[in-house]
Amino acid sequence: MLLAASTAGVLAAAPKNAILLSDVQSLTLRAGKSTTHRRVPAIPQLQCVGSSKRVCALANSLQAVDTMRCVNQGTGDQGREDVQWACTASLPSTLRLGSTDVVCEGYASADDPYILKGS
């Protein structure tokens, strides 16, 4: 009984506007929109960071990605904070997504497994 009570106390300590990143099932990212933020300044939701500026400029001139959908595929070896994402976007057959990194701002610190709800 003591264990259950102490666990409930830990769960109750999370702020109302925080959610575990591992509980987020999907993300929809939009070009021209900025992130919702709490601790650090807002950044673009979608940003090409190819191996060179030329690669991003070429891709954007052919067809800029306007929306990307990422689905939670579970966690890796690092535990609940290490969410693996599968991301897709509508692109012409001449283009494909390379690696995609999803970076979420921790609620209270960079290592916080909670994120700002709705961000």
Side-chain angles (χ1 to χ4, degrees):
M1 187 70 151
L2 180 60
L3 179 60
S6 65
T7 302
V10 170
L11 294 177
K16 288 183 183 181
N17 59 346
I19 185 171
L20 274 173
L21 177 59
S22 58
D23 289 344
V24 175
Q25 294 305 303
S26 65
L27 302 168
T28 301
L29 308 170
R30 293 178 171 54
K33 299 288 184 180
S34 294
T35 58
T36 302
H37 60 98
R38 182 175 176 282
R39 293 183 308 102
V40 298
I43 60 171
Q45 289 183 6
L46 286 175
Q47 184 174 12
C48 180
V49 290
S51 57
S52 71
K53 289 183 181 183
R54 186 172 162 247
V55 170
C56 289
L58 176 61
N60 286 332
S61 70
L62 294 173
Q63 178 172 342
V65 174
D66 60 344
T67 304
M68 180 179 287
R69 177 115 170 126
C70 299
V71 177
N72 183 331
Q73 298 293 298
T75 57
D77 296 334
Q78 300 300 315
R80 290 184 57 83
E81 307 87 34
D82 185 30
V83 176
Q84 303 296 308
W85 299 96
C87 300
T88 58
S90 294
L91 295 171
S93 61
T94 55
L95 294 177
R96 69 176 180 83
L97 288 175
S99 64
T100 303
D101 293 320
V102 175
V103 180
C104 296
E105 173 189 353
Y107 189 86
S109 70
D111 297 327
D112 194 341
Y114 287 89
I115 61 167
L116 179 63
K117 189 174 182 178
S119 65

